[in-house]
Amino acid sequence: MKNIRFILFYSERFGLFSGGKKSRTAAWVALIGITLSVFTMLLTLAIVSGFKDNITERVLAYDSPLYVRPTNHYNQTITLIRDDSISDIVKKLIPEAKVNPVFQVPALLKSDEDFATLILRTLPDREKQNFFKESILKGDFRDDSINGVILSSETMKALKIDTLQKLDVLFYTDSGLKLRRIDVIGIFDTKFKDYDGRIGFITRSTLESLLKFGQTVSTKIEVEPSHFNFKELPRQAKELYKELTIKTYEGKLLDNYEVGNLSTDAASYFAWLSLLDTNVIILIVLMSIIVIFTLISSTTVIIIDRISQIGLLKSIGCSNSTLQKIFILESSRLLFIGIIAASLITIFFVCFQNSFHFLKLDATVYYLSFVPMRLSFMNFLIVDLGTLVLCIVCMIMPVKIISRIAPGSVLKFH
């Protein structure tokens, strides 16, 4: 207990900001370096997390993690799924999975100026509708219209129109081509050009009146596991395909089916996101080295600046380990202040960016018009705690200098 009080007493007098000019300068340099480095690490993780969440949200708004469709869906005509038992098979293999029957048809849209080809699909469920409602530019995103389509601004540019109006829509069906004049009831822009330009939405009531199909049929069944795990998708798709194939050969299914998943259909997007992880690791390693180097250099300067006091304390019986603890304690305080400051700055910066979007991006390249950021408690825990522990361990090296200081030679010199 006495030794602890001694360490705390002298740590106040050895305070990094209370020494000579060299000590104060070294302490401020270390504090600024620690704060900027930790802030950079936290901000990088926030940006990468934001990108991953936003891109994944956009992909999942258009596609599902898994889907089932007939093997002959490549035909220009509509191939219907009439097997109600598919849902039971999915539920058996992937418990708590959400099964959504989707109806989509190839179509050609013609305006007075130009034409465009795309896939028209029924409106998504309410969860995904919320995503598209945030991207609506004109009109509305609703499912109660008798006759209407919702198109992206990319499609509207191809048609060379920018207002809500009627369009001629040509459908490819089993009974031949069908031409209908349909209202454009909404225009949206998700900034996801790859999908916006090839997919539009049409109300199910419009398709039912046009193609005369019932509520129980679809062209594609989307499967959404309760917990999305990109790495698990290939395995789940393989198991589901195997089960569907067995049921088909047993005569329990009416058709042959294939199973698709995002790991292949959206591989380019997730490969791009995985590259961000590599960049983050490199940056965190570099920033950690900077923090360690800055703290070690500053502590060494401070020890040298306090060499006479160290010699005096040694002459009255203070041990090397006690003196080392004093400097480690003070360096830890400095490190803790820098980490707290960096965390608070990061929280403010991320909240400000998410509110005002002052950092812009080229949506044609990054699929987003601003830099997305997401705060995560786990990111703060990894960076802050990891930096604190790593730097304290590395502090053992510079304080070893204290054991080489001979009190006699130091006091004689001074």
Side-chain angles (χ1 to χ4, degrees):
M1 190 71 178
K2 183 179 179 182
N3 193 36
I4 294 174
R5 281 200 295 265
F6 179 83
I7 292 172
L8 294 175
F9 175 79
Y10 275 100
S11 68
E12 291 297 327
R13 282 145 184 77
F14 274 34
L16 301 181
F17 294 101
S18 61
K21 185 177 180 180
K22 290 182 180 178
S23 295
R24 291 195 300 271
T25 302
W28 278 110
V29 169
L31 181 61
I32 294 172
I34 292 167
T35 303
L36 290 178
S37 298
V38 175
F39 169 70
T40 302
M41 288 189 278
L42 289 172
L43 188 64
T44 301
L45 287 174
I47 292 173
V48 171
S49 297
F51 261 109
K52 284 186 173 182
D53 287 350
N54 275 269
I55 297 300
T56 302
E57 181 186 17
R58 278 161 168 72
V59 172
L60 291 176
Y62 281 105
D63 279 329
S64 61
L66 297 166
Y67 59 84
V68 178
R69 61 188 178 189
T71 53
N72 59 344
H73 74 281
Y74 299 103
N75 297 338
Q76 290 296 318
T77 55
I78 301 170
T79 304
L80 298 177
I81 297 177
R82 302 180 185 275
D83 288 303
D84 296 333
S85 55
I86 292 180
S87 298
D88 297 331
I89 296 172
V90 171
K91 292 285 187 178
K92 179 182 175 182
L93 291 176
I94 311 173
E96 300 180 3
K98 191 176 180 181
V99 180
N100 299 317
V102 175
F103 205 107
Q104 59 184 37
V105 294
L108 186 146
L109 283 66
K110 185 181 182 306
S111 67
D112 295 335
E113 301 293 331
D114 215 326
F115 66 91
T117 58
L118 74 163
I119 298 296
L120 287 177
R121 57 172 290 169
T122 49
L123 297 178
D125 57 26
R126 292 193 177 276
E127 274 185 41
K128 293 184 178 181
Q129 278 194 39
N130 291 332
F131 168 78
F132 287 102
K133 284 177 180 178
E134 294 176 359
S135 306
I136 204 76
L137 300 179
K138 291 182 180 181
D140 195 7
F141 206 95
R142 59 186 186 273
D143 55 5
D144 57 354
S145 174
I146 298 176
N147 186 35
V149 293
I150 302 169
L151 305 176
S152 68
S153 58
E154 195 75 8
T155 301
M156 299 298 281
K157 287 178 184 177
L159 295 170
K160 297 180 181 178
I161 56 175
D162 59 0
T163 58
L164 301 178
Q165 62 182 68
K166 290 184 178 292
L167 292 175
D168 291 325
V169 182
L170 189 67
F171 294 94
Y172 302 92
T173 68
D174 293 330
S175 58
L177 300 177
K178 289 189 177 182
L179 181 65
R180 290 292 185 273
R181 194 154 182 82
I182 299 178
D183 293 315
V184 179
I185 61 174
I187 303 173
F188 66 92
D189 184 8
T190 67
K191 309 297 182 185
F192 212 16
K193 306 300 181 184
D194 293 349
Y195 282 92
D196 283 1
R198 60 185 177 88
I199 293 179
F201 296 98
I202 186 168
T203 59
R204 191 174 182 95
S205 57
T206 305
L207 284 178
E208 285 179 2
S209 63
L210 175 68
L211 304 177
K212 309 301 181 186
F213 64 86
Q215 289 283 344
T216 60
V217 300
S218 62
T219 59
K220 178 181 178 183
I221 294 178
E222 296 184 340
V223 181
E224 297 182 13
S226 55
H227 300 288
F228 174 70
N229 188 337
F230 181 75
K231 294 180 180 179
E232 286 291 312
L233 293 182
R235 180 189 62 80
Q236 292 173 333
K238 185 177 180 180
E239 290 178 356
L240 182 55
Y241 174 73
K242 180 180 178 181
E243 187 68 20
L244 291 173
T245 303
I246 292 173
K247 297 298 182 184
T248 300
Y249 279 109
E250 289 176 351
K252 296 180 180 179
L253 293 180
L254 303 176
D255 205 344
N256 293 315
Y257 298 99
E258 66 178 24
V259 180
N261 67 90
L262 286 182
S263 65
T264 53
D265 291 2
S268 58
Y269 302 111
F270 290 100
W272 174 54
L273 292 177
S274 65
L275 287 176
L276 296 179
D277 291 336
T278 304
N279 296 334
V280 167
I281 293 172
I282 294 173
L283 188 139
I284 287 179
V285 170
L286 291 176
M287 290 298 104
S288 299
I289 292 173
I290 291 173
V291 171
I292 293 169
F293 179 79
T294 302
L295 195 59
I296 289 176
S297 301
S298 300
T299 304
T300 304
V301 170
I302 293 167
I303 291 173
I304 295 173
D305 190 47
R306 297 297 186 92
I307 195 168
S308 59
Q309 292 171 291
I310 294 171
L312 179 61
L313 288 173
K314 276 193 170 188
S315 66
I316 61 175
C318 187
S319 65
N320 288 324
S321 61
T322 301
L323 289 170
Q324 289 170 359
K325 289 175 183 177
I326 291 172
F327 281 96
I328 290 177
L329 177 62
E330 281 303 305
S331 298
S332 300
R333 286 179 179 175
L334 184 67
L335 184 63
F336 186 75
I337 293 171
I339 289 173
I340 294 298
S343 299
L344 293 175
I345 294 171
T346 302
I347 293 172
F348 172 79
F349 191 91
V350 170
C351 292
F352 191 80
Q353 166 64 11
N354 288 339
S355 299
F356 300 100
H357 302 163
F358 67 96
L359 294 179
K360 304 294 184 181
L361 288 175
D362 183 359
T364 59
V365 177
Y366 297 99
Y367 310 111
L368 298 166
S369 59
F370 64 93
V371 178
M373 297 182 186
R374 185 177 71 86
L375 292 173
S376 169
F377 174 76
M378 187 57 64
N379 289 346
F380 279 94
L381 185 65
I382 292 173
V383 173
D384 292 354
L385 189 60
T387 302
L388 187 63
V389 172
L390 183 63
C391 289
I392 290 175
V393 171
C394 292
M395 283 302 302
I396 296 173
M397 183 173 63
V399 298
K400 287 292 184 182
I401 300 174
I402 295 173
S403 61
R404 299 180 183 179
I405 297 174
S409 60
V410 171
L411 294 176
K412 181 180 178 181
F413 176 78
H414 285 277

